[in-house]
Amino acid sequence: MLFVATTVNYLDRQVLSLLQPYLADKFHWTNNDYANITAVFQFVYAFSMLFAGRIIDKLGTKKGYALAIIIWSAGAMVHALAIPIGKEMAVLFGWAGITAFSVSVLGFMFSRTILAFGEAGNFPSAIKATAEYFPKKERSFATGIFNSGANVGAILAPLTVPWIRVNWGWETAFIIIGAIGILWLIFWFVYYEKPEEQKRLSAAEFNYINGGEEEKNENTGTNKISWIVLLGYKQTWAFTFGKFMTDGVWWFFLFWLPAYMKAQYGMVDKAIMIPLALLYTLAMIGSIAGGWLPMHFIRKGYKVYDGRMKAMFLIALFPLVVLAAQPLGYISFWIPVLLIGIGASAHQAWSANIFTTVSDMFPKKAVGSVVGIGGMAGGLGGVFMSKLGGGLFDHYKSLGHIETGYTIMFAICALSYLVAWAVMKALVPKYRPITDL
C-alpha cells in the first residue's frame, strides 16, 4: 500500500515537468516562469511537511494518509482548470496591484499549491506506518521498497503522460493521473489498521514487530512533543541538514530533466519517454539496494547506526559521476542519461536510509513530527535549487551558453551528498537514541 501510494504521489507531481516543454511554448514561459511554478510547489510542500507530521501524529496513520491523498488527488486534477483559475486570480491580483505573473503562471501556481499541501502527507504517513509495522533492523529495507515507488511513478509518467497529451490533450493528462489516487483509498480503508487492531496479524507477528524492550518502550506515552523540544536534539538537526542538502537534488532531476533534454538535444514528448524511463528504472534499483546495504553491514556485526552511516557514505560517492554528464554529453544523449540515472539511483538509496535514521533515533510517537521538520528543510532546499537553476538557465541562455548553467547545477548535485554526510556524522558521531521524550 505504501509503495502504491508513493508511486501515485510521484506520478501526480511529475505530470507538469513532462508537459513543461509543450506548455512553455504554448504559454511563452521563460525558465524563470517555470522555476516560479515549481518553487511555489516546493515552498508550500516544505511548510506543509512541518504540519503534516503533526497532523499524522494526531490523526493516526489511517485517517491522516487518507486525508492527504484526497487533497493531493484533487490538486492534481485542478491543474486542468489552471487557465480559468489563472484569469480569476489575475483579476484579484490586479485589484491588489500585483501583475508580475501571466494568467497561465498564476493558474499553475495555484494548482501546485493544493497538490503540494496534500502530497506533504505521504512520507510522514509512510514512515510512521513503517515504524508501526517493522522492527528497527528491517525498516531501511522496507523504506527502500516503498520509496522505490517514487521511481516507478517517475518511470510510468514519461511512458504515459506524453502519449495522453498528444492524443487527448494536456488537460486530460492531469485529470486521468490525478484520479488514480481515489482508487487507492478503497483498498487503504479496507486493509489498513494499526498492528494492535489488525485482525490479520498473528500474535507471533505482533511480537516480532515489537520484539525487544527498546521497541516496547517506544509505544508508551502519548503526550504532544513540541517542535522546540525536538529542535533541541542534534539528531533532529542532522536529519534536517541532510534533507536540506539532498532533497533539492532529487527535485531538480524530477522537474528539470525534460527541460534539459529539450534544451540540450531538442527532445520532447515521445522522444524522451524511453530515456527518462531508463533513468528512473536505475533510481528504483538504487532505492531497494540502498535499503538492503545497511542490513548487510548490520549482519556483519555493525551497530544499526554505524552500519547505516557506513552505507550512506558509500552511497554518497556515487553521485560524483554526475560531474561527467556535461563534459561527455557531446558523445550521445545516452551518456548524461546514464550518469544522471546513477546519481538519481544514489539519491533514492540515500533517501531510504536518511528517513530511517529518524525511527532509529526517536520513539514512534515523535517520528511523524521529526520527518515533518526534515521534510520542510528538504522542500526549502528544493526551492533554492529551482530558483537557482531557473536564474542560471535564463542568464546563460541569453549569452548563448545555456549548457554552462546545467554544468554548474550538475556539479552542485554531485557534491551535495558528501557535504550532507560529513555534517550529519559530525553532529551525531555515535548512535544516541532519544529516550527522554
Side-chain angles (χ1 to χ4, degrees), residues 19 23 27 73-90 103-112 114 170-176:
L19 296 179
L23 295 175
F27 298 117
S73 296
M77 290 186 283
V78 164
H79 282 70
L81 301 174
I83 307 308
I85 291 172
K87 290 178 180 178
E88 295 297 326
M89 292 182 67
V103 166
S104 63
V105 171
L106 285 172
F108 280 101
M109 288 171 71
F110 176 82
S111 304
R112 299 306 275 181
I114 300 174
W170 66 268
E171 298 96 337
T172 307
F174 284 111
I175 293 172
I176 291 176

Side-chain angles (χ1 to χ4, degrees), residues 245 249 252-253 316 319-327 340 385 388 392-393 403-419:
M245 286 298 298
V249 176
F252 177 73
F253 288 156
L320 295 177
V321 302
V322 178
L323 289 168
Q326 280 294 82
I340 296 169
M385 289 289 279
L388 178 63
L392 285 172
F393 302 149
E403 66 276 2
T404 303
Y406 283 103
T407 299
I408 295 171
M409 293 303 297
F410 288 156
I412 295 171
C413 294
L415 297 171
S416 293
Y417 298 86
L418 283 175
V419 174

Side-chain angles (χ1 to χ4, degrees), residues 394-408:
D394 275 344
H395 172 70
Y396 283 106
K397 183 179 180 180
S398 68
L399 299 177
H401 297 288
I402 192 171
E403 66 276 2
T404 303
Y406 283 103
T407 299
I408 295 171

